[in-house]
Amino acid sequence: MNYQKKQSPFRQGLVSVIVPNYNYERFLSQRIDSILCQTYKDIEVIILDDCSTDNSVDVINRYASNPYIKHICINQRNSGSTFIQWKKGFNCANGEYIWIAEADDYADPLFLETILLHMEADKSIKVGFSNSYWETDTNSFINKDYSIPEKYKKYRGIPFIKSHLLKENFIYNASMAVFRHDALYKVDPIYATFKSCGDKLFWASLAEKGSVVFVSQPLNHFRIHSEKVTSKSIINGTLFKEELRFFHMNIKKGYVSIFKRISVVKYFLSYIKRYEDKFLTDEIYQDCLNLWMNEVNPRNPHLPLAYKFICRFIK
């Protein structure tokens, strides 16, 4: 499905909230309630179910009469991709802003109001996102790794990619972010072909169009559990193969200096080794390790000459 530009303008100030769901019956009510309880009320809610096998549809149908629920789309066949569901939601959205509110997370009532305060004041901001509480089965804690001393920080888009998307994904959870609808037109559609790192490419494509603002207040609740796509993509190797693909795309764009290139490779080699005993098989582990080791192999004919020379001294 290709994203098509609408003929009519988006309604100014309206937020289209897209809720993609697959088998999250146990979280759905809390998620939807946290959207309907937002202090910012100019919203339309689009709920997408990707052929769930639990009772998710029953939960969704309980909200069908709510005036904020504008679309309920129930797939008869599983799409196999979160990003395909995203695009389906985009084609239903009429708002100036879009929030992908993932079904297993939930939000503070002030989430939208706080993010939009910055985005409405500065039209150059294409993406706004907040810090998060990380929710486990037994604990809730603020993600200190992404905390800053300021109440908020604005970044220029390309420096943000270089500093915060080449290694870890600073926007690690779609639920923590709101973005401008009109910025979608220039997003690289290849993101939908990814299984794991498509979100990284998606945020990078948006950031290229303008600025990004990060609100340090934790207004998103990011749920950690074994069914997360990221957890599965680590152990089957998909994440590391797709990260390499994303890495090469940014090299071609000129976003990765020689020394940054080495730093990124070292980061992912360390990442792979840290999860050595978690991979489904030793072969998958070794394959991922070899792919990234080849990025600092002086004998790799595809590496630039100056870079290969530096690689000779890497231990």
Side-chain angles (χ1 to χ4, degrees):
M1 180 187 298
N2 293 323
Y3 179 76
Q4 301 294 328
K5 185 171 182 176
K6 298 177 183 293
Q7 297 302 312
S8 58
F10 307 126
R11 202 177 93 199
Q12 194 169 18
L14 176 68
V15 180
S16 296
V17 187
I18 298 170
V19 185
N21 173 70
Y22 177 66
N23 283 351
Y24 284 144
E25 171 198 358
R26 63 197 184 281
F27 303 132
L28 259 177
S29 290
Q30 186 179 28
R31 161 44 91 199
I32 297 171
D33 289 344
S34 78
I35 294 167
L36 299 177
C37 289
Q38 289 294 301
T39 55
Y40 187 90
K41 294 297 185 183
D42 195 4
I43 64 172
E44 62 170 9
V45 183
I46 301 159
I47 304 177
L48 310 170
D49 184 81
D50 203 7
C51 196
S52 291
T53 57
D54 61 6
N55 293 317
S56 288
V57 175
D58 292 339
V59 176
I60 292 168
N61 284 336
R62 291 205 294 267
Y63 291 88
S65 62
N66 188 286
Y68 289 110
I69 310 297
K70 299 302 181 184
H71 300 278
I72 293 177
C73 304
I74 310 297
N75 286 353
Q76 297 305 307
R77 180 179 298 177
N78 185 267
S79 71
S81 169
T82 297
F83 306 123
I84 289 175
Q85 289 294 92
W86 284 17
K87 291 175 75 174
K88 187 174 183 178
F90 298 157
N91 281 308
C92 294
N94 295 300
E96 180 183 5
Y97 301 97
I98 294 178
W99 172 25
I100 301 171
E102 299 195 82
D104 53 336
D105 303 317
Y106 63 101
D108 184 281
L110 288 170
F111 173 79
L112 279 179
E113 180 180 330
T114 306
I115 299 295
L116 292 178
L117 180 68
H118 298 280
M119 298 186 75
E120 287 281 272
D122 186 344
K123 299 300 183 181
S124 76
I125 297 172
K126 302 303 181 184
V127 184
F129 67 107
S130 80
N131 205 346
S132 298
Y133 284 100
W134 287 34
E135 307 282 346
T136 69
D137 291 339
T138 58
N139 195 14
S140 175
F141 57 94
I142 298 173
N143 182 10
K144 297 292 187 183
D145 292 340
Y146 295 86
S147 295
I148 57 173
E150 305 96 331
K151 289 185 177 180
Y152 69 93
K153 186 171 183 178
K154 179 183 169 183
Y155 303 84
R156 288 181 294 120
I158 292 174
F160 177 80
I161 295 169
K162 293 177 179 180
S163 300
H164 295 302
L165 292 179
L166 293 180
K167 294 180 182 178
E168 63 280 316
N169 183 359
F170 209 59
I171 310 177
Y172 51 83
N173 175 221
S175 297
M176 70 201 294
V178 178
F179 57 92
R180 291 189 188 276
H181 198 157
D182 60 8
L184 277 175
Y185 300 139
K186 295 183 179 179
V187 166
D188 190 338
I190 201 173
Y191 80 89
T193 68
F194 284 65
K195 295 291 186 183
S196 175
C197 300
D199 57 339
K200 225 183 189 188
L201 176 54
F202 183 80
W203 303 126
S205 291
L206 289 173
E208 286 176 323
K209 312 304 178 293
S211 303
V212 177
V213 68
F214 173 55
V215 174
S216 60
Q217 188 178 353
L219 299 171
N220 176 55
H221 292 258
F222 173 50
R223 200 171 254 116
I224 307 297
H225 54 81
S226 60
E227 295 170 42
K228 282 284 185 188
V229 172
T230 304
S231 304
K232 296 175 182 177
S233 66
I234 289 174
I235 65 173
N236 66 21
T238 301
L239 181 142
F240 301 107
K241 294 173 183 178
E242 291 191 353
E243 286 286 3
L244 187 61
R245 186 179 169 194
F246 178 73
F247 181 51
H248 286 161
M249 292 172 71
N250 283 284
I251 290 172
K252 288 180 180 178
K253 291 179 179 180
Y255 295 166
V256 189
S257 67
I258 285 180
F259 293 104
K260 185 70 171 181
R261 187 167 181 166
I262 291 170
S263 174
V264 173
V265 174
K266 284 185 172 182
Y267 171 84
F268 280 105
L269 285 172
S270 175
Y271 194 164
I272 292 166
K273 290 174 182 177
R274 189 165 70 248
Y275 281 88
E276 179 178 0
D277 61 345
K278 304 294 185 183
F279 284 86
L280 291 175
T281 67
D282 291 339
E283 289 77 12
I284 293 174
Y285 164 72
Q286 198 61 53
D287 185 35
C288 292
L289 190 65
N290 290 342
L291 282 172
W292 279 93
M293 283 292 293
N294 201 41
E295 293 298 310
V296 285
N297 182 357
R299 294 184 178 140
N300 183 345
H302 302 293
L303 299 181
L305 185 60
Y307 178 74
K308 285 198 285 187
F309 179 78
I310 296 173
C311 289
R312 293 172 59 190
F313 302 96
I314 297 174
K315 296 182 180 180

Tab-separated table of all heavy atoms in Angstrom, residues 265-285:
chain	number	residue	atom	x	y	z
A	265	VAL	N	30.722	0.592	14.464
A	265	VAL	CA	31.016	-0.836	14.293
A	265	VAL	C	31.383	-1.462	15.635
A	265	VAL	O	30.898	-2.549	15.988
A	265	VAL	CB	32.145	-1.048	13.272
A	265	VAL	CG1	32.540	-2.532	13.220
A	265	VAL	CG2	31.715	-0.579	11.883
A	266	LYS	N	32.212	-0.787	16.407
A	266	LYS	CA	32.587	-1.306	17.728
A	266	LYS	C	31.367	-1.463	18.626
A	266	LYS	O	31.247	-2.429	19.387
A	266	LYS	CB	33.613	-0.380	18.390
A	266	LYS	CG	35.012	-0.502	17.821
A	266	LYS	CD	35.978	0.371	18.623
A	266	LYS	CE	37.410	0.114	18.214
A	266	LYS	NZ	38.362	0.921	19.021
A	267	TYR	N	30.452	-0.500	18.534
A	267	TYR	CA	29.225	-0.551	19.335
A	267	TYR	C	28.436	-1.821	19.023
A	267	TYR	O	28.003	-2.539	19.939
A	267	TYR	CB	28.379	0.689	19.066
A	267	TYR	CG	26.999	0.649	19.667
A	267	TYR	CD1	26.775	1.020	20.989
A	267	TYR	CD2	25.900	0.225	18.914
A	267	TYR	CE1	25.506	0.975	21.548
A	267	TYR	CE2	24.626	0.179	19.463
A	267	TYR	CZ	24.437	0.553	20.777
A	267	TYR	OH	23.174	0.490	21.324
A	268	PHE	N	28.243	-2.113	17.735
A	268	PHE	CA	27.428	-3.273	17.379
A	268	PHE	C	28.160	-4.599	17.595
A	268	PHE	O	27.527	-5.605	17.925
A	268	PHE	CB	26.897	-3.143	15.947
A	268	PHE	CG	25.703	-2.234	15.869
A	268	PHE	CD1	25.807	-0.954	15.349
A	268	PHE	CD2	24.476	-2.648	16.372
A	268	PHE	CE1	24.716	-0.102	15.314
A	268	PHE	CE2	23.372	-1.804	16.345
A	268	PHE	CZ	23.495	-0.527	15.816
A	269	LEU	N	29.470	-4.608	17.462
A	269	LEU	CA	30.215	-5.827	17.795
A	269	LEU	C	30.077	-6.147	19.284
A	269	LEU	O	29.861	-7.297	19.671
A	269	LEU	CB	31.689	-5.653	17.419
A	269	LEU	CG	32.011	-5.739	15.929
A	269	LEU	CD1	33.470	-5.364	15.678
A	269	LEU	CD2	31.713	-7.133	15.385
A	270	SER	N	30.161	-5.111	20.107
A	270	SER	CA	29.978	-5.297	21.548
A	270	SER	C	28.556	-5.753	21.862
A	270	SER	O	28.337	-6.621	22.725
A	270	SER	CB	30.291	-3.985	22.267
A	270	SER	OG	30.029	-4.078	23.645
A	271	TYR	N	27.593	-5.179	21.166
A	271	TYR	CA	26.175	-5.518	21.337
A	271	TYR	C	25.951	-7.002	21.019
A	271	TYR	O	25.320	-7.744	21.790
A	271	TYR	CB	25.376	-4.630	20.383
A	271	TYR	CG	23.879	-4.539	20.595
A	271	TYR	CD1	23.166	-3.510	19.978
A	271	TYR	CD2	23.161	-5.444	21.379
A	271	TYR	CE1	21.787	-3.395	20.129
A	271	TYR	CE2	21.788	-5.327	21.542
A	271	TYR	CZ	21.110	-4.309	20.907
A	271	TYR	OH	19.753	-4.202	21.051
A	272	ILE	N	26.482	-7.448	19.901
A	272	ILE	CA	26.319	-8.843	19.484
A	272	ILE	C	26.955	-9.782	20.509
A	272	ILE	O	26.354	-10.796	20.912
A	272	ILE	CB	26.944	-9.060	18.089
A	272	ILE	CG1	26.136	-8.311	17.027
A	272	ILE	CG2	27.007	-10.555	17.738
A	272	ILE	CD1	26.853	-8.174	15.696
A	273	LYS	N	28.157	-9.461	20.943
A	273	LYS	CA	28.868	-10.324	21.901
A	273	LYS	C	28.144	-10.378	23.246
A	273	LYS	O	28.146	-11.399	23.927
A	273	LYS	CB	30.295	-9.829	22.079
A	273	LYS	CG	31.158	-10.046	20.845
A	273	LYS	CD	32.538	-9.407	20.995
A	273	LYS	CE	33.363	-9.586	19.734
A	273	LYS	NZ	34.682	-8.921	19.829
A	274	ARG	N	27.520	-9.269	23.612
A	274	ARG	CA	26.788	-9.221	24.885
A	274	ARG	C	25.614	-10.193	24.890
A	274	ARG	O	25.226	-10.709	25.934
A	274	ARG	CB	26.302	-7.785	25.122
A	274	ARG	CG	25.721	-7.552	26.500
A	274	ARG	CD	25.603	-6.078	26.812
A	274	ARG	NE	24.584	-5.391	26.037
A	274	ARG	CZ	24.827	-4.487	25.112
A	274	ARG	NH1	26.069	-4.154	24.806
A	274	ARG	NH2	23.834	-3.898	24.460
A	275	TYR	N	25.044	-10.458	23.712
A	275	TYR	CA	23.890	-11.350	23.612
A	275	TYR	C	24.259	-12.726	23.057
A	275	TYR	O	23.382	-13.465	22.621
A	275	TYR	CB	22.815	-10.707	22.723
A	275	TYR	CG	22.012	-9.652	23.445
A	275	TYR	CD1	22.449	-8.320	23.470
A	275	TYR	CD2	20.839	-9.970	24.126
A	275	TYR	CE1	21.730	-7.352	24.143
A	275	TYR	CE2	20.116	-9.011	24.797
A	275	TYR	CZ	20.563	-7.694	24.806
A	275	TYR	OH	19.847	-6.734	25.476
A	276	GLU	N	25.518	-13.072	23.123
A	276	GLU	CA	25.995	-14.324	22.505
A	276	GLU	C	25.169	-15.538	22.912
A	276	GLU	O	24.778	-16.354	22.078
A	276	GLU	CB	27.465	-14.562	22.859
A	276	GLU	CG	28.019	-15.847	22.275
A	276	GLU	CD	29.498	-16.048	22.581
A	276	GLU	OE1	30.098	-15.174	23.256
A	276	GLU	OE2	30.048	-17.080	22.146
A	277	ASP	N	24.868	-15.659	24.197
A	277	ASP	CA	24.146	-16.854	24.667
A	277	ASP	C	22.635	-16.751	24.494
A	277	ASP	O	21.900	-17.671	24.872
A	277	ASP	CB	24.483	-17.140	26.127
A	277	ASP	CG	24.081	-16.004	27.060
A	277	ASP	OD1	23.813	-14.887	26.557
A	277	ASP	OD2	24.047	-16.218	28.286
A	278	LYS	N	22.156	-15.641	23.893
A	278	LYS	CA	20.713	-15.456	23.692
A	278	LYS	C	20.271	-15.818	22.273
A	278	LYS	O	19.077	-16.023	22.039
A	278	LYS	CB	20.319	-13.997	23.969
A	278	LYS	CG	20.711	-13.482	25.337
A	278	LYS	CD	19.958	-14.178	26.454
A	278	LYS	CE	20.309	-13.541	27.799
A	278	LYS	NZ	19.647	-14.252	28.919
A	279	PHE	N	21.203	-15.878	21.328
A	279	PHE	CA	20.839	-16.169	19.942
A	279	PHE	C	20.234	-17.561	19.826
A	279	PHE	O	20.572	-18.471	20.596
A	279	PHE	CB	22.067	-16.062	19.041
A	279	PHE	CG	22.488	-14.653	18.737
A	279	PHE	CD1	23.320	-13.960	19.602
A	279	PHE	CD2	22.049	-14.014	17.592
A	279	PHE	CE1	23.709	-12.654	19.337
A	279	PHE	CE2	22.426	-12.714	17.302
A	279	PHE	CZ	23.258	-12.030	18.180
A	280	LEU	N	19.345	-17.713	18.861
A	280	LEU	CA	18.675	-19.012	18.688
A	280	LEU	C	19.656	-20.121	18.385
A	280	LEU	O	19.474	-21.263	18.836
A	280	LEU	CB	17.633	-18.906	17.563
A	280	LEU	CG	16.408	-18.035	17.860
A	280	LEU	CD1	15.522	-17.920	16.624
A	280	LEU	CD2	15.606	-18.615	19.028
A	281	THR	N	20.677	-19.815	17.606
A	281	THR	CA	21.709	-20.810	17.293
A	281	THR	C	23.077	-20.141	17.273
A	281	THR	O	23.186	-18.917	17.098
A	281	THR	CB	21.479	-21.465	15.906
A	281	THR	OG1	21.672	-20.475	14.885
A	281	THR	CG2	20.083	-22.067	15.793
A	282	ASP	N	24.122	-20.952	17.413
A	282	ASP	CA	25.487	-20.430	17.318
A	282	ASP	C	25.764	-19.900	15.919
A	282	ASP	O	26.540	-18.953	15.752
A	282	ASP	CB	26.497	-21.541	17.655
A	282	ASP	CG	26.453	-21.930	19.125
A	282	ASP	OD1	25.978	-21.114	19.944
A	282	ASP	OD2	26.895	-23.047	19.450
A	283	GLU	N	25.138	-20.519	14.924
A	283	GLU	CA	25.357	-20.097	13.533
A	283	GLU	C	24.838	-18.675	13.307
A	283	GLU	O	25.480	-17.872	12.616
A	283	GLU	CB	24.662	-21.065	12.563
A	283	GLU	CG	25.309	-22.438	12.464
A	283	GLU	CD	24.996	-23.343	13.646
A	283	GLU	OE1	24.082	-22.996	14.460
A	283	GLU	OE2	25.659	-24.385	13.786
A	284	ILE	N	23.673	-18.353	13.892
A	284	ILE	CA	23.116	-17.002	13.743
A	284	ILE	C	24.036	-15.989	14.414
A	284	ILE	O	24.330	-14.921	13.859
A	284	ILE	CB	21.695	-16.923	14.343
A	284	ILE	CG1	20.725	-17.782	13.531
A	284	ILE	CG2	21.218	-15.468	14.384
A	284	ILE	CD1	19.341	-17.879	14.130
A	285	TYR	N	24.512	-16.332	15.601
A	285	TYR	CA	25.444	-15.453	16.318
A	285	TYR	C	26.696	-15.196	15.484
A	285	TYR	O	27.117	-14.041	15.299
A	285	TYR	CB	25.830	-16.071	17.661
A	285	TYR	CG	27.050	-15.449	18.293
A	285	TYR	CD1	27.000	-14.169	18.849
A	285	TYR	CD2	28.274	-16.136	18.303
A	285	TYR	CE1	28.128	-13.593	19.416
A	285	TYR	CE2	29.401	-15.549	18.865
A	285	TYR	CZ	29.328	-14.286	19.415
A	285	TYR	OH	30.441	-13.715	19.962
